Amino acid sequence: MSLIEQIEPLKLEALQELAGAADAAALDRAKGGYLGPQGKFTALMKQLGTLSKEEKPAAGKAINAAKIELETALAARREELELKAALPKEPADFTLPGRRRALGKLHPLTLVTEDIVRCFRKIGFAVADGPESEDEYHCFDALNTPADHPARDAQDTFYLGTAARPLLRTHTSSVQIRVMQSQPPPVRIIVPGRVYRRDNADATHNPTFHQIEGLYVDKNVTAGDLKGTVEFVFKQLLGDDVKLRFRPHYFSYTEPSFEIDFSNALVKKLGKDWLEIAGCGMVHPQVFENVGYDPEVWTGWAFGFGIERIAMLRYGITDIRLFYENDARFLKQF
Ligand code: DAH
């Protein structure tokens, strides 16, 4: 067989072997077998010198073309194998949690909020949400809050306009109304969110802060359920030495209403016996009427507490303004 006739079959044989190489090592072996110093293709090229002047140009051209084809196939196969080696052996499970945050840390208020939400989820509460820019109806009227209540005063609330009196919500209780308007009972929700009041900033006040609202509506719900639930959550959050005290109070949307006082070693450390931590009560029948629930059939309780307060207790923070200043020296500690 003349030299030029040997090129094509040898090339096809080499191409097949390159394409069949299962890994990088096999590919290197195939490459050596054809293109290495002792390779079959190299041997063919070496024979070029023995050809006559007439045969040489055509054979040289054919060999070069074949060599380029082999090198291209080699590079392509190498890339394929590298890609394959980089792929995970098992299919990825995208539902697995990440191992750590790529960058930064969670804000202490986020940490506390997430802990509170986790506790309530354990006992079947879902998270609900509502607008920070509210109207008077959801923030006050539907909650049975009378027109002469101080919370409705322009001194206490940020009004965003005069006509329909849009405002920045003063509490997350407005979301109770929105949720009940949007679904039939039973209801079991918590609402973490930002609220606004016309306060000057000092160590314990800020014009915006965060609350968690809770609402539970079903048949035969009692104040005992309320107490048990709040106790469970606070013990989970702040330790088993937590003591709670329910003190009679007044809120227009609950009857009876209570304030919850809280005590544990952290409170004692602040030199106090009790710290007022939440408002709560049994949902007022008028509120049920306002959202179209039959108060003869449905009963419920609600509560609201400040997230900053709990975070301050938990971490021993004495100035609320630290939460909002974005000072890295403060934030790095959590
Ligand atoms: N909205 C009240 C506040 O901002 C807290 C509160 C009290 C919420 C009693 C409630 C409740 O749901 O029943 O101070």
Side-chain angles (χ1 to χ4, degrees), residues 149-161:
H149 193 281
R152 299 185 72 136
D153 200 310
Q155 297 294 317
D156 294 298
T157 299
F158 290 107
Y159 286 92
L160 301 172

Side-chain angles (χ1 to χ4, degrees), residues 56-306:
K56 223 188 253 174
K61 213 171 154 194
I63 283 196
N64 272 331
K67 195 176 169 214
I68 290 172
E69 213 177 311
L70 289 184
E71 278 166 352
T72 311
L74 177 73
R77 184 61 185 155
R78 196 178 295 286
E79 202 173 318
E80 258 173 34
L81 289 174
E82 277 170 4
L83 215 64
K84 207 172 118 193
L87 284 175
K89 303 279 168 284
E90 301 277 318
D93 179 356
F94 294 107
T95 63
L96 287 175
R99 234 172 281 158
R100 65 182 171 94
R101 298 178 63 74
L103 199 64
K105 308 190 87 182
L106 293 178
H107 191 279
L109 291 178
T110 307
L111 292 172
V112 171
T113 306
E114 286 187 353
D115 276 355
I116 297 172
V117 167
R118 210 171 295 127
C119 291
F120 277 106
R121 277 195 203 268
K122 279 188 194 168
I123 48 176
F125 281 73
V127 173
D129 196 9
E132 290 175 25
S133 159
E134 255 301 356
D135 51 50
E136 277 196 299
Y137 180 73
H138 291 91
C139 203
F140 300 129
D141 298 271
L143 287 162
N144 204 25
T145 302
D148 59 356
H149 193 281
R152 299 185 72 136
D153 200 310
Q155 297 294 317
D156 294 298
T157 299
F158 290 107
Y159 286 92
L160 301 172
T162 43
R165 298 248 283 175
L167 50 84
L168 294 176
R169 68 180 178 196
T170 55
H171 52 188
T172 43
S173 305
S174 52
V175 185
Q176 288 186 29
I177 302 300
R178 291 193 174 270
V179 169
M180 287 192 282
Q181 283 175 332
S182 70
Q183 66 162 87
V187 177
R188 212 180 320 176
I189 52 143
I190 50 166
V191 185
R194 188 168 197 168
V195 301
Y196 302 82
R197 292 183 194 174
R198 283 203 178 205
D199 264 329
N200 288 320
D202 62 26
T204 54
H205 295 85
N206 199 62
T208 173
F209 60 100
H210 301 80
Q211 288 187 326
I212 288 212
E213 191 80 15
L215 174 67
Y216 179 32
V217 181
D218 208 332
K219 289 176 177 155
N220 306 315
V221 171
T222 69
D225 301 327
L226 168 61
K227 197 158 187 239
T229 304
V230 174
E231 235 163 48
F232 167 77
V233 170
F234 275 89
K235 283 193 170 161
Q236 291 252 310
L237 278 178
L238 294 162
D240 274 340
D241 69 330
V242 160
K243 278 206 201 82
L244 295 178
R245 182 170 79 176
F246 280 55
R247 206 163 19 80
H249 197 74
Y250 173 79
F251 296 104
S252 47
Y253 31 99
T254 43
E255 178 58 37
S257 304
F258 312 96
E259 260 189 339
I260 306 175
D261 293 337
F262 165 94
S263 180
N264 75 348
L266 296 165
V267 177
K268 298 263 158 62
K269 231 169 152 179
L270 297 174
K272 295 184 181 173
D273 282 334
W274 295 97
L275 203 66
E276 177 193 311
I277 200 131
C280 66
M282 303 304 291
V283 178
H284 197 292
Q286 185 59 51
V287 173
F288 281 149
E289 298 269 8
N290 294 345
V291 297
Y293 285 10
D294 184 348
E296 297 296 328
V297 178
W298 301 102
T299 46
W301 46 250
F303 65 80
F305 52 80

